[in-house]
Amino acid sequence: MKKYLIREIAFNALCKIILDQGYSNLILKNLLRDENISQLDKNLITEITYGTLKYKYTIDLILKDYIKINKTNKKVLIILEMSLFQLKYLDKVPDYAVINESVEIAKKIDKFSGAFVNAVLRNYLRKKEEFNINKLNDIEKLCYEYSYPEEFVKLIKYQYDENTNLILKSLNEIQKVTLRINNLKIDPPKLLEMLKACGIEYENSKIFDKCIIVKGSFNVEKMEIYKEGFVSVQNESSMLAAEILDAKEGEQILDLCAAPGGKSCYLAESLNDKIHITSCDIHEHRIKLIENNCKRLGIKSIETKILDGTIVESSFLNKFNRILVDVPCSGFGVIKKKPEIKYRKIDFDKLIDVQKRILKNASLYLKNGGTIIYSSCTLNKLENENVIKWFLENNKEFSLEKIKIGKIPKIMYNTTDIGITILPYENLDGFYICKIRKYEV
């Protein structure tokens, strides 16, 4: 495939993500389904798309020396951003090739855009050493070095202090695919033999025996081991939330915000499908994801229900032994997967209100003596510890449970024992997990 066509696919992906507020993982998944695109080309498209999103803040900071960003055509700006990413952060393609191919894409917008892109990029190459980082204060330097908006860096600095650099750096790293082995269908040793036969390199998880981390770039969903239901893609942080629930065979379990069903399926596999799990989501199409996963994995113990977690479901009252509440959140812990999260505007008051309502409703569905796991894939303590503090202050029949998971690097136990925070270290997602129990009566 011609290089400019590769870059045009990346450009189209970025337009859908930046201008239409799409999710990078879903956009790329759809665009890269074309069998005519080689794996090498898919890798480059992915690298340009994610790299541009990852370093967009720094790139825009540099571009401000050359253009008036707010007055530049939004699609032309995206061409400049993806071009500057390649010129500054990649060394695979000569500078002239990046410029020529970017100009070709810009020409399709209007007759002036090609010349404009050409002039800006050549001007950058002439003056790229002139950017003076010393004009920036300490926070601005962190923003420039790791490419995050100032509000985000200030939040992380305020809440995590000495771990700020680790968090900012880790969230920019490329994440490897983590596979959970389905013991209902295959023994781990046999699965590992299949991977070796396919020439796939992997490393063992340091946390779970039935979990491996694979190396290299490929589409797991097209592999036979995935189609046959031998494995699922799930990060270890998410698996920990389900593990800490400590569910037992025969219990009634509720997964209140379940889609696409990773935690529910992990529980079903771990308990040999001898449990009853009700997995809920507000959207019908996401319920289908859970059902499709269950069918693929051979799981019978999960029933699904379309449910708005913020509205009380009377048939659930006092019904469940244990409940998973993985609330909708800002997603700051999964920026590795979705770098566009850095730049999305979030109404925290509205979001936190939703989280509180979902947790409150979950508490109504719990039997006496039962436990709730409240979790999120964000690092923002306003959505995590503060929500739990609010809940405990207003629901005296609940108490915190101590979480014991052994020694895992870069897991923070909150100083006030309000749950644990998993930092996005190495291949882990940033995650928060808290366990609360309802008193026996």
Side-chain angles (χ1 to χ4, degrees):
M1 180 175 283
K2 293 181 180 179
K3 291 298 181 186
Y4 80 87
L5 291 177
I6 293 172
R7 283 162 176 76
E8 190 161 21
I9 293 172
F11 167 68
N12 290 334
L14 287 165
C15 286
K16 291 177 184 293
I17 297 162
I18 295 171
L19 302 182
D20 300 337
Q21 298 286 291
Y23 291 105
S24 55
N25 57 334
L26 300 179
I27 299 296
L28 278 174
K29 183 178 179 180
N30 289 331
L31 288 176
L32 298 182
R33 280 179 175 163
D34 189 344
E35 298 290 345
N36 295 319
I37 307 175
S38 71
Q39 189 58 52
L40 279 176
D41 289 343
K42 287 179 181 179
N43 293 347
L44 181 56
I45 292 166
T46 301
E47 186 171 32
I48 292 172
T49 304
Y50 275 114
T52 302
L53 293 169
K54 187 185 300 182
Y55 293 106
K56 185 179 185 301
Y57 185 86
T58 300
I59 289 166
D60 285 351
L61 202 60
I62 293 169
L63 278 173
K64 285 178 181 178
D65 286 348
Y66 303 94
I67 63 171
K68 293 180 179 179
I69 286 182
N70 292 335
K71 294 186 178 181
T72 302
N73 178 291
K74 291 180 180 180
K75 288 188 175 181
V76 172
L77 178 60
I78 289 172
I79 294 172
L80 289 172
E81 289 169 337
M82 61 183 278
S83 302
L84 219 67
F85 164 71
Q86 295 168 78
L87 294 173
K88 180 173 173 60
Y89 295 101
L90 297 185
D91 54 10
K92 296 178 182 178
V93 184
D95 292 348
Y96 71 85
V98 173
I99 294 175
N100 291 344
E101 291 154 16
S102 299
V103 168
E104 289 303 312
I105 298 171
K107 284 179 179 177
K108 295 184 179 182
I109 296 175
D110 59 55
K111 62 181 180 180
F112 303 108
S113 294
F116 178 71
V117 165
N118 182 63
V120 173
L121 295 179
R122 292 189 182 282
N123 197 19
Y124 163 73
L125 287 177
R126 284 193 298 270
K127 300 179 180 179
K128 63 181 180 179
E129 305 301 331
E130 295 180 12
F131 187 85
N132 181 17
I133 195 171
N134 292 322
K135 68 182 180 182
L136 308 177
N137 62 37
D138 289 345
I139 292 292
E140 290 170 340
K141 285 178 181 177
L142 286 173
C143 295
Y144 178 84
E145 181 178 358
Y146 297 111
S147 194
Y148 292 89
E150 194 168 321
E151 311 90 81
F152 182 85
V153 172
K154 285 180 176 177
L155 182 144
I156 297 298
K157 180 74 175 170
Y158 176 73
Q159 294 187 357
Y160 291 94
D161 195 17
E162 71 274 8
N163 285 297
T164 298
N165 287 64
L166 180 147
I167 291 171
L168 298 179
K169 180 177 182 294
S170 296
L171 286 174
N172 276 340
E173 291 171 353
I174 296 172
Q175 194 170 44
K176 299 171 188 173
V177 175
T178 304
L179 298 181
R180 185 188 78 238
I181 303 173
N182 180 11
N183 57 279
L184 298 178
K185 285 198 168 188
I186 193 168
D187 293 325
K190 188 173 181 181
L191 187 280
L192 297 182
E193 286 177 13
M194 294 176 70
L195 290 177
K196 288 176 182 176
C198 295
I200 295 173
E201 296 183 27
Y202 65 88
E203 59 190 63
N204 293 322
S205 165
K206 298 174 184 176
I207 305 173
F208 294 102
D209 293 335
K210 294 182 294 185
C211 183
I212 56 170
I213 300 165
V214 294
K215 303 175 183 178
S217 299
F218 49 86
N219 188 340
V220 173
E221 293 181 10
K222 291 189 175 181
M223 297 175 66
E224 285 304 311
I225 59 169
Y226 182 87
K227 292 177 182 178
E228 293 294 327
F230 297 153
V231 298
S232 295
V233 177
Q234 186 177 18
N235 192 267
E236 293 155 292
S237 296
S238 174
M239 293 172 67
L240 271 171
E243 181 74 15
I244 292 168
L245 186 65
D246 196 26
K248 310 297 182 189
E249 288 188 5
E251 289 185 330
Q252 291 275 349
I253 307 297
L254 174 64
D255 191 348
L256 196 50
C257 308
K263 297 180 190 67
S264 291
C265 292
Y266 171 78
L267 288 171
E269 292 170 10
S270 299
L271 295 164
N272 300 306
D273 218 17
K274 296 176 181 178
I275 194 169
H276 188 275
I277 303 171
T278 303
S279 300
C280 305
D281 195 89
I282 192 172
H283 300 294
E284 184 177 2
H285 72 278
R286 288 178 62 77
I287 286 291
K288 291 293 182 185
L289 294 176
I290 302 173
E291 293 171 348
N292 290 341
N293 273 325
C294 288
K295 184 177 180 180
R296 181 178 63 84
L297 298 168
I299 291 170
K300 308 293 184 185
S301 60
I302 294 175
E303 69 168 312
T304 59
K305 183 176 179 64
I306 299 172
L307 181 76
D308 183 343
T310 64
I311 299 173
V312 175
E313 172 56 51
S314 59
S315 66
F316 282 3
L317 296 175
N318 303 304
K319 179 179 179 180
F320 298 96
N321 303 99
R322 300 174 198 270
I323 300 176
L324 273 170
V325 186
D326 191 36
V327 291
C329 66
S330 58
F332 290 161
V334 293
I335 286 174
K336 290 179 187 180
K337 294 187 182 86
K338 302 172 184 176
E340 66 275 8
I341 288 173
K342 292 182 180 185
Y343 316 107
R344 297 281 163 91
K345 297 297 182 184
I346 299 169
D347 185 339
F348 284 107
D349 289 339
K350 183 177 179 180
L351 181 59
I352 291 167
D353 178 64
V354 167
Q355 293 164 346
K356 288 178 176 179
R357 288 162 64 191
I358 291 174
L359 178 56
K360 175 60 182 177
N361 288 345
S363 72
L364 302 176
Y365 307 149
L366 194 66
K367 292 181 178 181
N368 292 334
T371 55
I372 292 176
I373 291 294
Y374 176 93
S375 64
S376 78
C377 58
T378 188
L379 299 169
N380 182 11
K381 295 184 180 183
L382 298 177
E383 302 172 64
N384 297 335
E385 288 90 338
N386 282 20
V387 171
I388 297 298
K389 286 179 185 176
W390 165 85
F391 178 78
L392 294 175
E393 286 170 1
N394 291 279
N395 297 273
K396 300 301 182 183
E397 70 275 28
F398 285 84
S399 63
L400 281 168
E401 284 282 293
K402 201 83 170 177
I403 294 176
K404 298 177 182 178
I405 55 175
K407 293 183 178 179
I408 299 175
K410 306 304 178 187
I411 286 186
M412 296 177 58
Y413 287 83
N414 188 274
T415 52
T416 52
D417 287 330
I418 304 180
I420 61 170
T421 298
I422 304 171
L423 299 184
Y425 181 66
E426 293 184 345
N427 213 55
L428 293 171
D429 285 336
F431 223 81
Y432 174 77
I433 305 170
C434 185
K435 189 173 187 178
I436 51 181
R437 179 178 294 275
K438 187 175 183 180
Y439 292 128
E440 299 271 10
V441 175

